[in-house]
Amino acid sequence: MKLYAAPLDFREIAEEFGVPTEFSPQLHEEAARAQDRYADQRVDARSVPLVTIDPAGSMDLDQAVFIEANGDGYRVLYAIADVAAFVEPGSGIHAESLRRGQTVYLPDEPARLHPEELSENRASLLPGVDRPAVLWTFELDAAGEVVGAHVERAVVHSVARLDYDGVQADLDADCMHPSIALLPKVGQLREASSLRRHAINLRLPAVRVVEVHPGQGESAGQYELMIEPRHAVMDYNSEISLLTGMVAGRMMESAGVGFLRTLRPAGPEAVETFRTEARALGFELDDGEDVGAFLTCIDADTPRGMAVMREAQRLLRGAGYVDLEHKEPEVHAGIGGYYSHVTAPLRRLIDRYATEVCLALCAGTDVPEWVRADAEQVVSTMGKTSQLANSVDKACLNLTEATVLRPWLGQNFHGVILNTDEQRDQARVFVVDPPVMAGCLGQPEEATETMLSLIRADVDTREVAFAWPAD
């Protein structure tokens, strides 16, 4: 879940978890001097009218897309920022990226993987300028299934930087940018493909913190949580990234070399718990119904819809990475097949390395020695920093919820009882407004709705708790 909370200060959380938010002057200088190491190895793809689709104001643009009809099927061209072109093995930026692993997104500022000179300038696929890229070409049949794929280094020229709000408005008005006029169709075909694979695609909306009447009387310093709509074009755009990761994963699994993103299936107990919680939230979910298909019918822009999506995240716990030169391949249960991270190298370390493997496999050349030399450290760093990012996300959400609820200590709230632990005399509850999940003292009946008293909203400890029965 993306949390926008600019009115709040998360600096202490960054310091507590040791999240580096700045780069040394030397690394800034190195990034500013970096040149394209593969300039003489690129095909000229500047005639392809690629466009980027990102949140408004984004500068770290990893992907650009163009889709056209190809007989009864489709051709998708997908350009990915070629970060490896600017990161010399053995350089300071190379060493720092191996330490940081990934961009950690604090709600008020990102702790970036690379200096801004690369992530928001030289390596970013900004519009109106030539950029080095890794260009994927996918041939899809009429059902949206892959019948051919190729990847190579190219120089590209994005013609527009689009944002989700604008693209959704264009879709609603039936005036999509010509480069992505087929994105809804291809996105829907790929969504249908995911159902055939029994994949679980989460559609978590963003939540924004809004200050209520800032600086005015008794309500000064009070905040609300607002669910921001998740546009359909976000899901269609995500399908192109998922498509790329699946092709890359199959390519590397077949060759027995590279890096896979893995996730084992959720156990029967976890699935049954989710079904119980979904029913408690008011949704009909039969015992034999496919969870992935069920989630496609949920309106995630409602408090209860957001809650069921958040609970579904528990089915996707335990994701990791596998280096195929040392371990057997594993599928990603959430994807329904082999999968690799290759589409966000500005924000994730492993994408840079997995991409190099795919380029070598497609060209019939050896995997670069620097990729093999760093493989063990890359997998280790991604594991550690993924845990770090999850811990930071949780801490930021807890701080936000405690801040929003603090003025209402002692008040009663309408809640849904997700599950009850009688031995511990406590329950896990979902409060509808504001939409938060928290612990609750007492033993309210599971899968019921009741009033709960807010007994704790501690900003210092970032704890929120309710009690039942309500006063």
Side-chain angles (χ1 to χ4, degrees), residues 96-105 113-114 259-262 318-323 340-354 374-391:
E96 185 68 9
S97 68
L98 283 170
R99 184 173 75 89
R100 295 193 179 210
Q102 58 189 289
T103 296
V104 177
Y105 286 96
L113 174 60
H114 304 100
F259 306 89
L260 296 181
R261 180 65 163 165
T262 64
Y321 294 94
V322 166
D323 173 10
S340 181
H341 276 154
V342 293
T343 62
L346 290 172
R347 292 169 274 175
R348 277 192 309 254
L349 171 70
I350 203 163
D351 298 52
R352 185 167 90 231
Y353 286 79
D374 290 347
E376 183 176 354
Q377 185 176 357
V378 168
V379 171
S380 175
T381 296
M382 290 304 302
K384 293 175 183 176
T385 58
S386 293
Q387 292 179 357
L388 171 65
N390 290 336
S391 297

Side-chain angles (χ1 to χ4, degrees), residues 75 123 127 240 289 325 333 422 433 456:
R75 178 177 293 116
I240 306 303
E289 185 176 352
E325 289 202 86
E422 295 183 0
D433 185 18
R456 186 180 304 122

Side-chain angles (χ1 to χ4, degrees), residues 18-35:
V19 178
T21 57
E22 298 179 349
F23 292 91
S24 69
Q26 293 79 10
L27 288 176
H28 282 295
E29 292 173 6
E30 184 179 308
R33 293 194 308 267
Q35 300 294 320

Side-chain angles (χ1 to χ4, degrees), residues 121-145:
N121 191 352
R122 314 269 309 286
S124 178
L125 301 182
L126 297 169
V129 290
D130 295 349
R131 284 290 185 261
V134 173
L135 184 63
W136 290 85
T137 301
F138 305 108
E139 306 292 346
L140 308 181
D141 63 17
E145 299 294 351

Side-chain angles (χ1 to χ4, degrees), residues 74 141-145 184-194 196:
Y74 308 88
D141 63 17
E145 299 294 351
K185 179 62 176 178
V186 172
Q188 290 165 9
L189 290 173
R190 293 302 302 170
E191 287 176 341
S193 176
S194 74
R196 292 192 290 271

Side-chain angles (χ1 to χ4, degrees), residues 2 12 24 37 46 50 83 98 129 158 163 192 231 268-269 289 320 339 358 360 397 407 414 432-433 449 465 467 471:
K2 185 73 172 178
E12 288 188 4
S24 69
R37 301 192 294 131
R46 289 175 291 182
L50 296 156
V83 179
L98 283 170
V129 290
S158 170
D163 62 72
H231 298 312
E269 183 176 343
E289 185 176 352
Y339 185 69
C358 292
L397 180 60
H414 181 79
V432 179
D433 185 18
E449 300 194 22
D471 293 335

Side-chain angles (χ1 to χ4, degrees), residues 49-332:
L50 296 156
V51 300
T52 59
I53 313 173
D54 291 273
S58 296
M59 294 292 288
D60 54 337
L61 310 181
D62 281 295
Q63 312 109 7
V65 63
F66 169 74
I67 305 175
E68 62 182 355
N70 182 30
D72 293 335
Y74 308 88
R75 178 177 293 116
V76 178
L77 286 90
Y78 202 41
I80 306 298
D82 192 354
V83 179
F86 297 101
V87 181
E88 183 76 35
S91 66
I93 294 176
H94 174 258
E96 185 68 9
S97 68
L98 283 170
R99 184 173 75 89
R100 295 193 179 210
Q102 58 189 289
T103 296
V104 177
Y105 286 96
L106 296 153
D108 54 349
E109 63 174 334
R112 298 203 180 281
L113 174 60
H114 304 100
E116 298 90 323
E117 291 83 357
L118 292 184
S119 61
E120 297 185 358
N121 191 352
R122 314 269 309 286
S124 178
L125 301 182
L126 297 169
V129 290
D130 295 349
R131 284 290 185 261
V134 173
L135 184 63
W136 290 85
T137 301
F138 305 108
E139 306 292 346
L140 308 181
D141 63 17
E145 299 294 351
V146 179
V147 294
H150 181 73
V151 61
E152 60 191 341
R153 282 198 152 91
V155 56
V156 301
H157 190 97
S158 170
V159 299
R161 180 176 63 176
L162 308 178
D163 62 72
Y164 288 117
D165 289 343
V167 174
Q168 184 64 46
D170 289 345
L171 174 59
D172 294 340
D174 196 24
C175 60
M176 294 277 284
H177 190 287
S179 293
I180 53 169
L182 290 171
L183 177 62
K185 179 62 176 178
V186 172
Q188 290 165 9
L189 290 173
R190 293 302 302 170
E191 287 176 341
S193 176
S194 74
L195 292 179
R196 292 192 290 271
R197 300 190 309 271
H198 302 287
I200 298 177
N201 291 334
L202 299 183
R203 295 174 292 109
L204 283 165
V207 174
R208 185 175 296 276
V209 177
V210 179
E211 191 168 5
V212 181
H213 308 301
Q216 298 180 18
E218 296 181 358
S219 60
Q222 295 183 14
Y223 302 89
E224 292 181 350
L225 291 179
M226 297 183 61
I227 299 175
E228 296 205 330
R230 181 173 177 86
H231 298 312
V233 294
M234 294 179 177
D235 299 322
Y236 301 152
N237 197 41
S238 293
E239 287 295 338
I240 306 303
S241 179
L242 293 171
L243 162 68
T244 309
M246 291 191 67
V247 170
R250 288 199 297 266
M251 185 184 296
M252 288 186 280
E253 184 276 333
S254 179
V257 61
F259 306 89
L260 296 181
R261 180 65 163 165
T262 64
L263 178 69
R264 291 175 181 171
E269 183 176 343
V271 174
E272 183 54 36
T273 296
F274 172 73
R275 293 184 188 277
T276 299
E277 293 175 342
R279 292 173 188 134
L281 289 164
F283 298 97
E284 295 184 7
L285 178 57
D286 296 334
D287 288 340
E289 185 176 352
D290 181 76
V291 171
F294 162 74
L295 291 173
T296 63
C297 302
I298 299 300
D299 181 0
D301 294 341
T302 65
R304 292 171 187 263
M306 182 190 73
V308 82
M309 287 292 174
R310 284 179 61 180
E311 291 306 278
Q313 287 181 298
R314 293 167 171 259
L315 302 176
L316 302 179
R317 286 179 170 177
Y321 294 94
V322 166
D323 173 10
L324 291 176
E325 289 202 86
H326 297 95
K327 291 188 176 181
E328 292 297 313
E330 297 178 21
V331 300
H332 190 294

